[in-house]
């Protein structure tokens, strides 16, 4: 009998296929796991509004259901939005990133629970893309108009792959020790509180539920999934994963276009 009691699943490249859709085999496997009392937790870089359509498809509407959002900056109750774990960034952090990105000549934005903020009049196309994906409106605010006590859940540096490669190569130790930085896509560099990561969030949630790592399975495909895959007793990489993730995972399942999430749930949690 499987000892898995908690499954954490990344969204883009993992839960969703290459058309950004949930497929029926994945829905069925998650539904069956939940019916057997297994916690199935979505672990994403998106905010809660950005995964609401998928939660509705999966029929998440009961108490004691959780999501890891903003790449581990928040662990939330789905029904209420209440935070169990929360790591934020300050107005000073925002001002620092504003200066660094302006000096380099690239783009950025910041996100709180409800909005995407930018102080760039010539905002990036990638900010508009993010707004569409996560279903959050954009607010242009000059730096001096942002209240000093304003907190953000995460910031993102956004550029072409080549532009972001160059920006990352330019960063000094001051930047990389001040923040936890994760590259979630070729054109997105996530900037988080140094305590925030999917792995830390998953560990906190497991402890809240009284679970040990060997009772946890985590599935992902990219570098921002790496530490939760390393934490879990069953660390599973999608076949379409970044090579680093493939190397570090305990197991490899099918790709996101092969319902790899369903394959892993049925093999390890449902033991079919």
């Amino acid at each position: 009998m499987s000892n898995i009691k908690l499954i954490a699943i990344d969204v883009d490249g993992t839960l969703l296929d290459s058309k950004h859709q949930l497929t029926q085999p994945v829905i069925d496997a998650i539904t069956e796991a939940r019916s057997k009392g297994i916690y199935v937790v979505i672990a994403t870089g998106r905010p809660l509004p950005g995964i609401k359509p998928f939660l509705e498809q999966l029929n998440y509407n009961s108490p004691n259901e959780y999501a890891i959002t903003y790449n581990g900056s928040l662990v939330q109750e789905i029904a209420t939005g209440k935070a169990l774990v929360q790591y934020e960034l300050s107005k000073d952090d925002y001002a620092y990133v504003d200066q660094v990105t302006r000096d380099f000549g690239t783009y950025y934005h910041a996100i709180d629970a409800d909005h995407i903020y930018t102080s760039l009049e010539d905002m990036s196309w990638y900010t508009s893309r993010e707004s569409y994906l996560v279903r959050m409106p954009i607010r242009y605010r000059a730096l001096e108009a942002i209240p000093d006590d304003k907190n953000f859940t995460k910031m993102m540096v956004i550029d072409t792959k080549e532009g972001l490669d160059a920006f990352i190569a330019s960063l000094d130790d001051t930047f990389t020790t001040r923040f936890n930085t994760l590259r979630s896509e070729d054109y997105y560099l996530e900037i988080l509180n140094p305590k925030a990561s999917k792995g830390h969030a998953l560990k906190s949630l497991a402890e809240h539920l009284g679970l040990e790592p060997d009772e946890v399975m985590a599935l992902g495909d990219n570098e921002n999934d790496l530490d939760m895959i390393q934490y879990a007793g069953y660390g599973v990489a999608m076949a379409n994963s970044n090579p680093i993730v493939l190397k570090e995972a305990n197991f490899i399942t099918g790709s996101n276009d092969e319902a790899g999430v369903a394959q892993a749930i049925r093999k390890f949690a449902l033991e079919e």
Side-chain angles (χ1 to χ4, degrees), residues 217-249:
M217 179 165 75
L219 301 98
D221 73 304
N222 218 325
E223 290 181 36
N224 59 327
D225 304 313
L226 190 57
D227 72 338
M228 77 169 182
I229 287 173
Q230 292 168 330
Y231 164 78
Y234 294 80
V236 183
M238 307 298 290
N240 52 287
S241 294
N242 179 299
I244 297 172
V245 178
L246 290 170
K247 181 180 178 181
E248 292 294 323

Side-chain angles (χ1 to χ4, degrees), residues 164-177:
L164 203 54
D165 286 344
F167 176 78
I168 292 169
S170 76
L171 294 176
D172 59 21
D173 290 345
T174 302
F175 194 100
T176 56
T177 56

